[in-house]
Amino acid sequence: MMSKPESPGDVAAFDYHLPEELIATHPLPRRDDSRLLVVDRESQKITNRQMVELPDIFDAGDCLVVNDTQVVPAKLLGTRVSTGGGWDGLYLDSNPQGHWRLIGQTRGHLQPGETISLKPADRSDTATICQELKLIEQGEGGVWTAELMPPRDTLKVLEQFGTVPLPPYVQRNIASDEDRKRYQTVFARHPGAVAAPTAGLHLSEDLLANCRHSGLGLEHVTLHVGLGTFRPIAAQQLDQHVMHSEWCRLTESTSRTLNKVQKSGHRVVAVGTTVVRTLETAIANGQLAPFEGTTDLFIRPGHEFQSFDALLTNFHLPRSTLFVLICAICGIDLAKLAYTTAVANRYRFYSYGDAMLIL
């Protein structure tokens, strides 16, 4: 299990320089074409490998844990009925009463009671389809509560009117056909995320088959990635940051399996920071326990990890909660050395970029 690193609180400590040309805006031809920077915390050694070598790094009996959330087509375009002006928005989630939470942009100021007419994702359907959103009230962080008019199933409306939301640094307002396929893991099965669990994007069906052939286990958790994953930390000190909440689930079967893996001396390998957040939320008295609900766990230096032994992850934005999490696992000095090494070796960064394995 992982040791307890230092605990600084200044957000500036989690900054680093990234040349803009290293930000990946398109995926590689194959998911497992990615490079893999391997960071060994015990020896402090950093090596360059390839994703296809992943089965060779682990032993039979070790277990990969992936996040099986599915990205929903949450990016929306529409028109303000009152003015005819354009509007674009992002669906976040909905409550049991069917009210949506969303953010949106338009010229001017939106008002409670205003109606948005959605544009279908297939623009050829504009003459036959009508779906409106009535804005109810605006809350903290500019998030609106809205209701569908007429009421309909949320996922069906998103499928009909939405498109895949992409991070701002991808620099495409509307997802391409390639994005719709590749900004989704091959094991996605539970709709609810507005961003992909990007570490899982590297795992192809062939690579997963090779892992199974090598004796590696595969278990699933679910965490619906939210808007907060895009946002840098605005506060000056970590303890001033209000962490976003995300819904996650760890089943009894998976928790039982992972406890057995660690008791047997094998490694639990978290595929992505969302898996780390789920497992660390579900740990209780040194054992994983079934969990379903929201988590606002903010993992930062000083956190004592108990639930996993290695992490496969992408390269994250500076001053982000995800980079803070990486520093909590490696220590700030080793994390920054790894990122400096990745920059020097021209690794590709962010969602469509290369990967890092922390052992």
Side-chain angles (χ1 to χ4, degrees), residues 143 243 322:
V143 176
M243 190 67 178
L322 302 183

Side-chain angles (χ1 to χ4, degrees), residues 83-238:
T83 67
W87 173 89
D88 65 81
L90 182 71
Y91 164 87
L92 301 178
D93 54 35
S94 55
N95 63 24
Q97 290 72 43
H99 289 164
W100 284 17
R101 290 195 324 126
L102 52 84
I103 57 173
Q105 292 181 331
T106 186
R107 295 186 66 177
H109 296 286
L110 295 167
Q111 300 296 326
E114 192 167 342
T115 301
I116 305 295
S117 178
L118 297 180
K119 296 179 180 179
D122 179 357
R123 301 295 179 258
S124 65
D125 288 343
T126 54
T128 58
I129 298 175
C130 180
Q131 182 65 58
E132 294 182 339
L133 274 174
K134 182 179 179 180
L135 302 179
I136 300 173
E137 62 179 355
Q138 189 174 29
E140 187 176 347
V143 176
W144 281 91
T145 301
E147 61 180 338
L148 290 169
M149 299 175 60
R152 289 182 59 203
D153 178 78
T154 288
L155 288 178
K156 289 182 179 178
V157 171
L158 293 176
E159 288 291 341
Q160 195 165 29
F161 291 90
T163 188
V164 174
L166 296 173
Y169 48 75
V170 171
Q171 300 179 354
R172 282 189 296 286
N173 191 41
I174 300 298
S176 65
D177 290 340
E178 178 185 53
D179 292 319
R180 284 188 282 274
K181 179 180 179 181
R182 294 294 300 277
Y183 195 65
Q184 193 82 267
T185 65
V186 298
F187 38 78
R189 60 187 184 188
H190 296 297
V194 300
T198 53
L201 298 180
H202 302 285
L203 299 177
S204 65
E205 296 283 10
D206 287 344
L207 181 54
L208 287 171
N210 289 340
C211 288
R212 286 191 292 268
H213 183 72
S214 297
L216 300 182
L218 181 66
E219 291 292 326
H220 298 244
V221 300
T222 306
L223 182 141
H224 292 324
V225 189
L227 179 65
T229 194
F230 292 141
R231 290 179 168 167
I233 300 173
Q236 297 302 309
Q237 298 292 319
L238 290 183

Side-chain angles (χ1 to χ4, degrees), residues 45-85:
K45 184 178 179 182
I46 298 172
T47 54
N48 297 295
R49 302 188 71 165
Q50 298 292 132
M51 270 300 301
V52 291
E53 299 177 72
L54 191 68
D56 302 328
I57 298 173
F58 293 103
D59 301 320
D62 294 341
C63 185
L64 303 177
V65 187
V66 299
N67 181 4
D68 60 12
T69 188
Q70 182 177 324
V71 181
V72 297
K75 172 76 174 179
L76 299 163
L77 297 177
T79 303
R80 298 172 70 183
V81 172
S82 60
T83 67

Side-chain angles (χ1 to χ4, degrees), residues 233-245:
I233 300 173
Q236 297 302 309
Q237 298 292 319
L238 290 183
D239 59 8
Q240 297 170 346
H241 176 69
V242 179
M243 190 67 178
H244 60 282
S245 293

